[in-house]
Every structure is written in C-alpha cells, then in structure tokens.
Amino acid sequence: MEKLPEFPFPADHSLRPSPLLADARAGGAPVRVRLGYGDPAWLVTRYEDARTVLSSPAFGRDHERAGIPADRIAGMTPADPTSRTLLSEDPPDHTRLRRFVYRTFTPRRVEALRPGTERIAGRLLDAMVGSGAPADLVEGFGLPLPIQVICDLLGVPVADRARFTGWADGLLSTDDRPLAEIGADIDEMNGYLADLAATRVEHPTEDLIGSLVRERVEGDRLTEEEVSNLVRAILIAGFETTASQVPNFVYLLLEGGDYARIVADPGLVPTAVEELLRCVPLIAQGSLTRFVLEEVEVGGVMLRPGDQVLVELAAANRDTVAFPASDTMDIAREANPHIAFGHGLHRCLGASLARMELQVALSALVARLPGLRLAVPPGEVPWHADRFVRRPKELLVTW
C-alpha cells in the first residue's frame, strides 16, 4: 500500500491551521494524502489552484457520475453528510434545483430578515444575562440564534427544533458510526420533512417549504424527495455555519484582544466578520470532496478521471500571493477575496444569510456586553475533536 501522509494534519490549536498546511502550500503542487475513510485524495492548498478546482467543469460533486462507489469517497466522515442533496449534485440537476431556492437567499431578501434576527439575538442575550454569569455562549447564544432563524425561514414548528439540532450534529460527526445508522438518521429526517411538505399541499404557507412545494420553475415541480433533500442541505449549511462560527469568532476576538477594538468602533463589524471567515474555516480541515471528470492539470500535477481532490480552505485563505501578511488577523482588512464560502458552482447558497447572522450576532454582543471576557483560561476551553465542523463544546464567558 502506498505510504501517504495522514489527513487531517495534526494541529496544536483548534482554530489555527496545522503548520504542515503551510509546508504543503510552499511546495506548490497538490499533495497526495490518506483520509480516515475512502480512497486517497489530492490535497490542494494554493489560492489560485483552489479557485480552479472549485469552479472548473473538470471537477464534480456527483460520485456516481465519476464512477466512484460511495464507500470509496475520500472523507473525514464515514458518509458524506450532504449526500442526496443540492451540495452533491452536478449540472444539469444542480442548476435546476438551485433555481428553486436561489431567490430566497438573494442579498436583498436576506437583508429583509435582519430586523427579525436582531430581535432574536436581543431576546437570547436578555435570557443569558438574566441567568447570570458565567454563561455558556454556545448553548445560550451560538446554537439557538441560527436554529431559530433557519427554522423560521423554513417553517419548522418551535417544538421540533431540538430534533433538527440533533440530526445536524449526528450527520456532521466524524466518529466511526455505522453507515446504516447514518442512513437511518437521514431517512428519519427526510420523512419528517416530507410530512411537513405534505401539510403545505393542503394548507399553503409563505415559508420556504411552502414555496418549494407549490412553486414551478419553467413548468417543473420538485418531487417530495427533492423538497426534503433541499431542506436538509439548507438546514446543514444555514444552521451549522453560524452555530459554529459565533463561538469560534468570539473566542478568537477575546483571546487576541480585538473584541475591545470592536466595542470601541462597532463599524468594524463587517470587515471583522470577513477577516474571521478568512482565518477560521468552517470545516475542520479540507472540504467536500471533488471528483475529477476529465484530465486536467492543477499546480503542475496531471489529475485523471476518477481521482479525488480536497481543497484546503484554511491554506488557500492564508496564501500570501492573495493576502498580504496572510497569517496576521487584521479585522480592518479591506481587500479580502476569501473563499470561506467556496467558489464557483457550489459556492454556499446561504452565504448572504450566514454573513448577516454573524454580523448581527457580533454587533449584539459588543453593544450589550462590552465587558465580555472568557471565564476560563483559553487553554481550558474544550473543543470538539469528532466533528466535521469545528467549534468549542462550550465557551464559558462572563461580563
């Protein structure tokens, strides 16, 4: 068996990339690595190479189209959490499905959600402050904010929202869970979503699920399974991005002293969010696997059909060619063409929503809790080591 470096590379800090990623990027060419599951893959670390892989039609997300069995997909989880969703489709199906939901996530429509999101953030902080310090920012603010926003958008009953959190956590675990168990979770979630969709047929609503059920695009209608799979993709992308990054961002701002800068100048919030997105990739390491569909050269390496590729966003977003002083977090950085939300065809559909929620969360915190600080030393913050998406298990804060 070919001796390859194991990926993810070891890192000494939950929010800082492994030095081995910088070494790989300095080498220029993609690096062959072995992951916890599936076949080996090529690891891409340079910014321009990453943009090429994420946007070129020579790469796809549909493993069946690439002739790769599901049990050979290179990944950090035993099964792709996005399987059978918009995130695992290629054109023409991807194009057709994306059109159904795109206009829900336009910047203009998302901006209309900002006042409601601000009210949710205010209520959550009222409750957290009312319970007294120290408080867990993950459970008290980071998790409930995006789940309330996305469930309001979808039209999920309040009483069922805890189930959604559990499903999302299970699907994004990197533990060695049996594939049958993961499949059962997906089927249970899809069954629940199908029931919600069915009620919209008899009782139409203006929420996103109601829109997907009734809306036609050029005479086309979504099937029941497609509605369920689209909603599952939206939930995973729309919930996890903010739920994980709120505590991640706050930890890094408090640890480095930049939180006080934003308290003094709240106008820094937009650039701070973009810089934090650049510096703190959502996925622990790597990205969703791409499959080579036709022979293509990347970074001097000829990739062939059937090869698998991971784009390392953390390395690409710290490429000095694209970002001067790339290892320095500058919350006032203006030119910031990061690819935290991906690039090209599969760029995150909910990027505008996540960006708005992160801005609201940070603005609400610095306005309400200007004296916020960690209640434990930074080195004692516990981190999830068994999740596809990084975040602390808890983040105890005081004020």
Side-chain angles (χ1 to χ4, degrees):
M1 181 180 293
E2 185 181 5
K3 182 65 175 177
L4 298 173
E6 298 288 335
F7 189 84
F9 297 146
D12 59 6
H13 191 290
S14 298
L15 297 182
R16 293 189 173 88
S18 168
L20 295 178
L21 289 173
D23 294 343
R25 188 181 59 236
V31 177
R32 191 86 164 148
V33 295
R34 187 175 301 281
L35 287 85
Y37 302 92
D39 290 351
W42 290 100
L43 182 68
V44 170
T45 53
R46 294 196 308 178
Y47 181 78
E48 285 303 324
D49 291 344
R51 286 170 58 92
T52 296
V53 173
L54 295 175
S55 61
S56 170
F59 301 88
R61 280 282 297 136
D62 184 345
H63 70 93
E64 292 181 349
R65 181 179 173 212
I68 298 173
D71 62 354
R72 288 177 49 199
I73 296 174
M76 293 180 289
T77 55
D80 186 341
T82 67
S83 64
R84 295 164 22 206
T85 72
L86 177 67
L87 303 178
S88 62
E89 297 283 358
D90 289 333
D93 285 342
H94 177 273
T95 306
R96 181 180 71 88
L97 293 171
R98 191 176 177 100
R99 282 183 298 174
F100 277 100
V101 293
Y102 170 74
R103 66 186 187 183
T104 300
F105 294 102
T106 61
R108 181 178 178 181
R109 288 206 169 192
V110 166
E111 193 59 29
L113 300 174
R114 187 181 291 266
T117 305
E118 291 172 339
R119 287 191 292 272
I120 293 171
R123 290 195 299 268
L124 291 172
L125 289 179
D126 285 344
M128 194 172 78
V129 170
S131 297
D136 179 8
L137 194 73
V138 175
E139 290 294 330
F141 190 67
L143 288 177
L145 175 64
I147 199 67
Q148 289 187 35
V149 172
I150 199 68
C151 286
D152 283 348
L153 185 65
L154 293 172
V156 173
V158 174
D160 295 336
R161 295 177 182 184
R163 298 174 69 186
F164 271 67
T165 306
W167 280 323
D169 279 344
L171 291 175
L172 294 169
S173 171
T174 59
D175 281 344
D176 193 11
R177 299 177 66 210
L179 290 177
E181 184 179 314
I182 296 171
D185 281 353
I186 291 175
D187 289 342
E188 182 182 355
M189 186 175 182
N190 280 356
Y192 171 84
L193 294 171
D195 289 342
L196 281 184
T199 64
R200 267 52 171 190
V201 175
E202 297 296 326
H203 305 285
T205 58
E206 295 303 315
D207 54 57
L208 181 55
I209 296 178
S211 296
L212 292 176
V213 167
R214 71 173 182 272
E215 187 171 346
R216 288 182 180 272
V217 176
E218 295 180 2
D220 193 11
R221 187 181 291 279
L222 291 169
T223 67
E224 180 181 280
E225 182 180 14
E226 286 173 336
V227 170
S228 298
N229 288 341
L230 274 175
V231 173
R232 178 158 57 88
I234 292 167
L235 172 73
I236 292 172
F239 162 56
E240 278 293 340
T241 300
T242 310
S244 298
Q245 294 294 52
V246 166
N248 288 346
F249 286 8
V250 171
Y251 171 86
L252 212 56
L253 290 170
L254 292 176
E255 182 197 37
D258 282 319
Y259 188 87
R261 284 186 63 192
I262 301 176
V263 169
D265 183 4
L268 286 171
V269 166
T271 56
V273 166
E274 297 307 311
E275 181 70 344
L276 285 158
L277 284 165
R278 181 186 76 84
C279 293
V280 187
L282 175 64
I283 297 173
Q285 284 193 52
S287 63
L288 299 175
T289 309
R290 264 69 181 179
F291 311 106
V292 181
L293 303 174
E294 59 187 68
E295 193 167 85
V296 60
E297 182 178 334
V298 176
V301 173
M302 188 61 67
L303 305 180
R304 293 175 170 78
D307 283 350
Q308 302 188 54
V309 179
L310 292 177
V311 172
E312 179 41 74
L313 298 175
N317 278 333
R318 289 175 181 254
D319 191 334
T320 55
V321 175
F323 304 97
S326 59
D327 283 330
T328 300
M329 190 175 81
D330 176 7
I331 62 171
R333 187 186 296 266
E334 292 291 343
N336 199 343
H338 65 76
I339 52 174
F341 291 115
H343 178 66
L345 184 68
H346 284 282
R347 185 178 183 274
C348 179
L349 191 63
S352 294
L353 179 64
R355 180 175 280 116
M356 180 274 289
E357 288 182 289
L358 291 167
Q359 290 174 358
V360 167
L362 191 51
S363 294
L365 283 166
V366 297
R368 182 68 184 275
L369 300 173
L372 191 72
R373 59 191 184 277
L374 295 176
V376 297
E380 294 182 13
V381 173
W383 296 89
H384 278 290
D386 57 352
R387 299 184 82 252
F388 189 61
V389 175
R390 65 176 71 204
R391 66 170 160 83
K393 293 180 180 178
E394 66 174 11
L395 188 67
L396 294 179
V397 294
T398 187
W399 49 87

